[in-house]
Amino acid sequence: MKDCIFCTIVAKKIPNYTVYEDSHVLAFLDIHPRAKGHTVLIPKVHAETIFDLNEEIAKSLLPAVERTADRIEHVLSPDGYNIGWNHGEAGGQEVSHLHIHILPRWHGDGGTNIHGIVNHPGEMSVEEVGALFS
Ligand code: 5GP
Ligand code: ZN
């Protein structure tokens, strides 16, 4: 997509530090890292969210995450990772091209875990929400 920064990176019009690449995905260092080796992994085709991606490419993402983390593992040997993505404006997504953040973690780095993202369960009980899915 023309005005998409990540499509511009895929087109190699903006340089990147590539961590992993295959025919479907590109993983590169985040320009404003929140951790050493902070990497974003994107599908090469433009898709705003996972709902906009075709199934074949969606299925290629998890193996690509594993291969990207494997590269990071060999180069930086972190103690752990947080891996996930911000979906939609309410989820904090700023670049409207799906990207999975891979954050290497080290003991004592002062970071938190996924439970630190939000703590606002609302008024409904788990049972009431569960009933909506039945
Ligand atoms: P979001 O908040 O949308 O999940 O995160 C977007 C991420 O993309 C941010 O962490 C930001 O630093 C990164 N980013 C934005 N523009 C560029 C860029 O031009 N190059 C690289 N390498 N990362 C970028
Ligand atoms: Zn794009």
Side-chain angles (χ1 to χ4, degrees), residues 5-6 9 28-32 86 92-95 99 101:
I5 188 83
F6 285 175
I9 288 173
F28 52 96
L29 295 180
D30 195 296
I31 200 138
H32 298 302
N86 300 322
Q93 181 174 5
E94 289 182 359
V95 175
H99 49 285
H101 291 267

